[in-house]
Amino acid sequence: MGFLKSFFTGKVESAEEQAQKEEAKRFDKLKYDGVRATRSGQPDIAIHCFEEALKIHEDMEIRDYLARTLISVDALPQAIEQLQLLAQAAPDNTEILKQWARVAYMQEEYTMMEEVCTKALSMDDKDATTLYLKAQAVAGQGNTIPAIALLTQAITTDNTLASAYLMRARLLLGMGDTQGAAEDANHLTANYGESEETLMLQAQVAHAQGDTAKALQQYDKVIELNPFSAEAYKERGQVKYEQGNTQGAQEDMQKVLELNPNALANVNGEYSAEGVEHKVKQAYSFMNPLGL
């Protein structure tokens, strides 16, 4: 082949040039095979292909593919390593920083998450998503009031950011500001309809305000939408227990145990199949009445 090529072109290809071409072909094949493996649900093969391709030469697109694939298999520390390398290669790319922050949140690395968000905000302090992510980081460290301030700033920047309203309402509710939480809950329902999350929020607000009839009604709607919501059964049972409806509370706790057999252990530190009726009182006595 080399002889024929030199015969027609007058140029003899060196061994180094041939090696470079073979390497380029191998790189392209690894990239293609990795993408194909990702699309066909074979993440292990995809990761291997991307890692081998990166050994040949650096490529931002492949490193991005690798990071996303690692996230999909919950290899979060490795994904963060890739995102750090991407951020170093493209320091002005705030989308990379936001993705890094999201993975840090999944890892509960709130200090890292806050630092990454702060860096992104230094480049664009009006980005509502970054403000929301930083609020998550700050709240994760137990700083509720600064988190609410960041959420308010995010909402002011983008009043369509439903996740910011939802998180702010939950934080306000946790602080005992039922009026503020109710306003955010009503805004969500008015603008986004009755989803499972908005109905749960409405139920929790009504419960906190002492409107048990409305709370039960909203919990019923949640369960109608999602019959597998152990959280809704648990919180509805709490309301029933407070009303003195021990049978109703027991029925809801039985449903919680069907969906999550370890639920009582999570509440009071112990569980046995016997004596569930006796333990219902213990379980609901230890629960946070807001379900937060």
Side-chain angles (χ1 to χ4, degrees):
M1 181 68 182
F3 171 77
L4 290 174
K5 185 168 184 179
S6 65
F7 180 82
F8 287 110
T9 65
K11 180 182 177 182
V12 177
E13 196 172 63
S14 69
E16 183 180 351
E17 289 174 329
Q18 288 180 344
Q20 288 175 347
K21 285 190 175 182
E22 288 302 316
E23 191 176 70
K25 288 180 182 178
R26 182 166 176 267
F27 175 85
D28 289 340
K29 184 177 187 306
L30 286 165
K31 179 178 180 178
Y32 172 78
D33 287 348
V35 172
R36 184 175 59 181
T38 300
R39 291 173 178 170
S40 61
Q42 298 174 294
D44 292 342
I45 294 174
I47 289 168
H48 173 75
C49 289
F50 294 144
E51 288 178 339
E52 290 299 308
L54 288 168
K55 289 178 183 177
I56 297 173
H57 68 76
E58 178 61 37
D59 184 276
M60 290 273 288
E61 185 180 15
I62 288 183
R63 202 168 287 284
D64 180 56
Y65 283 141
L66 177 57
R68 292 174 187 274
T69 309
L70 289 166
I71 293 168
S72 74
V73 296
D74 290 327
L76 302 181
Q78 297 91 324
I80 286 176
E81 290 176 7
Q82 297 304 317
L83 290 163
Q84 287 173 323
L85 291 169
L86 285 166
Q88 290 171 10
D92 296 331
N93 190 323
T94 57
E95 292 303 315
I96 294 172
L97 294 174
K98 283 187 277 188
Q99 182 71 332
W100 181 356
R102 293 185 185 99
V103 179
Y105 179 74
M106 294 164 68
Q107 278 284 93
E108 298 184 5
E109 294 282 356
Y110 300 122
T111 301
M112 174 194 291
M113 184 183 183
E114 183 179 3
E115 291 172 355
V116 173
C117 290
T118 298
K119 184 177 180 181
L121 288 169
S122 70
M123 290 179 270
D124 182 2
D125 63 355
K126 300 297 184 185
D127 188 279
T129 300
T130 309
L131 289 164
Y132 170 73
L133 290 169
K134 186 171 181 178
Q136 287 185 309
V138 171
Q141 296 173 74
N143 301 316
T144 302
I145 293 176
I148 290 172
L150 284 163
L151 291 167
T152 301
Q153 190 178 349
I155 289 167
T156 301
T157 304
D158 180 4
N159 63 9
T160 66
L161 193 61
S163 55
Y165 282 101
L166 184 63
M167 183 179 174
R168 187 173 69 175
R170 287 171 172 167
L171 291 176
L172 290 169
L173 190 57
M175 291 178 61
D177 184 356
T178 58
Q179 181 59 39
E183 290 174 3
D184 280 348
N186 291 335
H187 172 86
L188 286 166
T189 304
N191 289 276
Y192 302 99
E194 292 187 337
S195 68
E196 182 178 344
E197 287 186 317
T198 58
L199 287 168
M200 279 292 291
L201 180 59
Q202 290 278 7
Q204 289 164 349
V205 170
H207 185 193
Q209 292 180 327
D211 190 344
T212 55
K214 181 178 179 181
L216 289 173
Q217 181 184 48
Q218 299 301 84
Y219 284 126
D220 289 345
K221 288 183 179 180
V222 174
I223 291 167
E224 185 178 346
L225 278 176
N226 179 12
F228 303 100
S229 176
E231 182 183 9
Y233 282 108
K234 183 182 76 172
E235 294 183 19
R236 187 178 71 175
Q238 173 72 23
V239 177
K240 290 178 179 179
Y241 179 75
E242 290 171 0
Q243 289 182 324
N245 182 0
T246 53
Q247 181 178 347
Q250 181 184 340
E251 290 170 356
D252 276 349
M253 180 55 76
Q254 291 279 13
K255 192 66 179 179
V256 171
L257 293 173
E258 290 175 19
L259 296 168
N260 178 10
N262 296 319
L264 272 179
N266 294 336
V267 172
N268 63 14
E270 59 179 58
Y271 169 69
S272 62
E274 299 79 17
V276 171
E277 181 177 0
H278 172 69
K279 290 181 180 293
V280 168
K281 181 177 180 180
Q282 289 179 286
Y284 281 121
S285 295
F286 278 87
M287 279 184 190
N288 183 323
L290 299 180
L292 299 174

